[in-house]
Coordinates of all heavy atoms in Angstrom, one line a residue:
E36 N -1.7 28.0 -4.0 CA -3.2 27.8 -3.9 C -3.9 28.5 -5.0 O -4.8 28.0 -5.6 CB -3.6 28.3 -2.5 CG -4.8 27.7 -2.0 CD -5.1 28.0 -0.5 OE1 -4.3 28.8 0.1 OE2 -6.1 27.5 0.0
A37 N -3.4 29.7 -5.3 CA -4.1 30.5 -6.4 C -3.9 29.8 -7.7 O -4.8 29.7 -8.6 CB -3.5 31.9 -6.4
A38 N -2.7 29.2 -7.9 CA -2.4 28.5 -9.2 C -3.3 27.3 -9.3 O -3.8 26.9 -10.4 CB -0.9 28.1 -9.2
K39 N -3.6 26.6 -8.2 CA -4.5 25.4 -8.2 C -5.9 25.9 -8.6 O -6.5 25.2 -9.4 CB -4.5 24.8 -6.8 CG -3.4 23.9 -6.5 CD -3.5 23.3 -5.1 CE -4.6 22.4 -5.1 NZ -4.7 21.6 -3.9
K40 N -6.3 27.0 -8.1 CA -7.7 27.5 -8.5 C -7.7 27.9 -9.9 O -8.7 27.7 -10.6 CB -8.1 28.6 -7.5 CG -8.4 28.2 -6.1 CD -8.8 29.3 -5.2 CE -9.1 28.8 -3.8 NZ -9.4 29.8 -2.9
E41 N -6.7 28.6 -10.4 CA -6.7 29.1 -11.8 C -6.6 27.9 -12.8 O -7.3 28.0 -13.8 CB -5.4 30.0 -12.0 CG -5.6 31.3 -11.4 CD -4.3 32.2 -11.5 OE1 -3.6 32.0 -12.6 OE2 -4.1 33.1 -10.7
T42 N -5.9 26.9 -12.5 CA -5.9 25.7 -13.4 C -7.1 24.9 -13.3 O -7.4 24.1 -14.2 CB -4.6 24.9 -13.1 OG1 -4.6 24.4 -11.8 CG2 -3.3 25.6 -13.4
G43 N -7.7 24.9 -12.1 CA -8.9 24.1 -11.9 C -8.5 22.6 -11.7 O -9.3 21.7 -11.9
S44 N -7.3 22.4 -11.3 CA -6.8 21.1 -11.2 C -5.8 21.1 -9.9 O -5.3 22.1 -9.6 CB -6.0 20.7 -12.4 OG -5.3 19.5 -12.2
N45 N -5.7 19.9 -9.4 CA -4.7 19.7 -8.3 C -3.6 18.8 -8.7 O -2.8 18.4 -7.9 CB -5.4 19.2 -7.0 CG -5.9 17.8 -7.2 OD1 -6.1 17.3 -8.3 ND2 -6.1 17.1 -6.1
K46 N -3.4 18.6 -10.0 CA -2.3 17.8 -10.6 C -1.1 18.7 -10.5 O -1.0 19.8 -10.8 CB -2.6 17.4 -12.0 CG -3.7 16.4 -12.1 CD -3.7 15.8 -13.5 CE -4.8 14.7 -13.5 NZ -4.8 14.0 -14.8
R47 N 0.0 18.0 -9.9 CA 1.2 18.7 -9.7 C 1.8 19.3 -11.0 O 2.3 20.5 -11.0 CB 2.2 17.8 -9.1 CG 3.5 18.4 -8.5 CD 4.3 17.4 -7.7 NE 3.6 16.9 -6.6 CZ 3.5 17.4 -5.4 NH1 4.1 18.6 -5.2 NH2 2.9 16.9 -4.4
A48 N 1.8 18.6 -12.1 CA 2.3 19.1 -13.3 C 1.6 20.4 -13.8 O 2.3 21.4 -14.2 CB 2.2 18.0 -14.4
A49 N 0.3 20.4 -13.7 CA -0.5 21.6 -14.1 C -0.2 22.8 -13.2 O 0.0 23.9 -13.7 CB -2.0 21.3 -14.1
V50 N -0.1 22.6 -11.9 CA 0.2 23.7 -11.0 C 1.6 24.2 -11.2 O 1.8 25.4 -11.3 CB 0.0 23.2 -9.5 CG1 0.5 24.2 -8.5 CG2 -1.5 22.8 -9.3
E51 N 2.6 23.3 -11.4 CA 3.9 23.8 -11.6 C 4.1 24.5 -12.9 O 4.8 25.5 -13.0 CB 4.9 22.6 -11.6 CG 5.1 22.0 -10.3 CD 5.9 20.7 -10.3 OE1 6.3 20.2 -11.3 OE2 6.2 20.2 -9.2
K52 N 3.4 24.1 -14.0 CA 3.4 24.8 -15.2 C 2.8 26.2 -15.1 O 3.4 27.2 -15.6 CB 2.6 24.0 -16.3 CG 2.7 24.6 -17.7 CD 2.0 23.7 -18.7 CE 2.0 24.2 -20.0 NZ 1.3 23.4 -21.0
K53 N 1.7 26.3 -14.3 CA 1.1 27.6 -14.1 C 2.1 28.5 -13.3 O 2.2 29.7 -13.6 CB -0.2 27.5 -13.4 CG -1.0 28.7 -13.2 CD -1.5 29.2 -14.5 CE -2.4 30.4 -14.4 NZ -2.9 30.9 -15.6

Side-chain angles (χ1 to χ4, degrees):
E36 207 167 0
K39 283 180 65 173
K40 287 180 182 176
E41 287 178 27
T42 60
S44 174
N45 65 343
K46 290 191 176 186
R47 191 172 300 276
V50 172
E51 288 174 355
K52 187 175 179 182
K53 185 68 172 179

